[in-house]
Amino acid sequence: DGAEELLINDGGTSKKITQANLLLGIDNTSADATAITIDSSENVGIGADSPEQILHLQKASGSTKVLIESVTGGDPELHFNSEAVNRNGIIRFLDNGSAAGKIIYNHTNDSMAFHRLNEGAPSLYLQGGNVGIGDTDPSEAKLSIDNVASGDYGLKIVQAQAKEGLYIDQNGNENALYIDSVANSNAIE
């Protein structure tokens, strides 16, 4: 058909590789099975005949796993790099094609946010060594809990050991415990 092509013969069965579509069949049971596909958009599919992204891994059944292994020294690493400044690194989790959660690393303020489902605000937020649960600006405390759902405890400690349930070691000049309550009930019961 005029396109540049490469013909591979494995003892009677020929495979044609063209510029438009690269198919690598690796299967002892069927000469038509395709293990790796590189389409005309340079998307690579491993187990996926029609890759939807630059790399698309698909397994017909069971878990699809990726192994990054360092055998002799060094640490296995996964890098996210944006050539543009102030971009985010994002890991998305899907459930049957629908958004189920995501982890976002924000390069602008060096923070990391963990989102459940399609929440606008993250349920867990890490910034500058501080942790926010329901709080996207935990700058005022090492642990800041905000936006507690109605009927839920803000903080619950269950202690079944022969030790204090809460220990505060106050070395500064302020109170060890400060309670600010605008509720109609007792602050401490």
Side-chain angles (χ1 to χ4, degrees):
D1 60 40
E4 292 183 32
E5 58 186 43
L6 171 66
L7 193 62
I8 298 175
N9 189 320
D10 64 357
T13 305
S14 296
K15 298 286 184 189
K16 185 190 306 184
I17 300 172
T18 67
Q19 283 182 321
N21 201 13
L22 173 63
L23 304 173
L24 302 177
I26 304 171
D27 189 342
N28 291 332
T29 60
S30 171
D32 295 328
T34 302
I36 300 172
T37 301
I38 303 173
D39 69 13
S40 59
S41 299
E42 298 180 0
N43 290 340
V44 176
I46 299 176
D49 294 336
S50 301
E52 297 173 16
Q53 299 294 331
I54 195 165
L55 177 61
H56 185 163
L57 308 177
Q58 185 178 46
K59 188 174 177 185
S61 64
S63 300
T64 302
K65 301 176 184 177
V66 175
L67 174 64
I68 301 173
E69 182 176 6
S70 177
V71 179
T72 57
D75 299 318
E77 297 182 12
L78 182 61
H79 292 249
F80 293 82
N81 181 42
S82 174
E83 293 295 325
V85 297
N86 298 328
R87 302 298 303 169
N88 296 326
I90 302 172
I91 299 173
R92 294 187 189 276
F93 302 92
L94 304 177
D95 187 8
N96 198 23
S98 298
K102 61 186 171 185
I103 300 171
I104 300 175
Y105 181 80
N106 184 318
H107 294 275
T108 304
N109 64 5
D110 290 324
S111 65
M112 187 170 286
F114 295 78
H115 295 256
R116 296 178 313 119
L117 303 173
N118 286 319
E119 295 178 325
S123 46
L124 180 65
Y125 193 82
L126 310 172
Q127 181 179 18
N130 294 354
V131 177
I133 300 174
D135 184 359
T136 58
D137 182 16
S139 58
E140 71 280 358
K142 283 296 182 189
L143 174 61
S144 178
I145 302 171
D146 201 349
N147 297 310
V148 178
S150 177
D152 287 350
Y153 296 108
L155 177 64
K156 180 179 179 182
I157 300 171
V158 177
Q159 172 62 301
Q161 306 300 320
K163 217 47 185 154
E164 297 82 9
L166 176 63
Y167 176 80
I168 300 173
D169 185 358
Q170 176 66 17
N171 294 318
N173 293 328
E174 289 293 329
N175 297 323
L177 183 61
Y178 175 80
I179 299 174
D180 183 5
S181 178
V182 294
N184 293 329
S185 58
N186 297 331
I188 297 179
E189 188 172 293

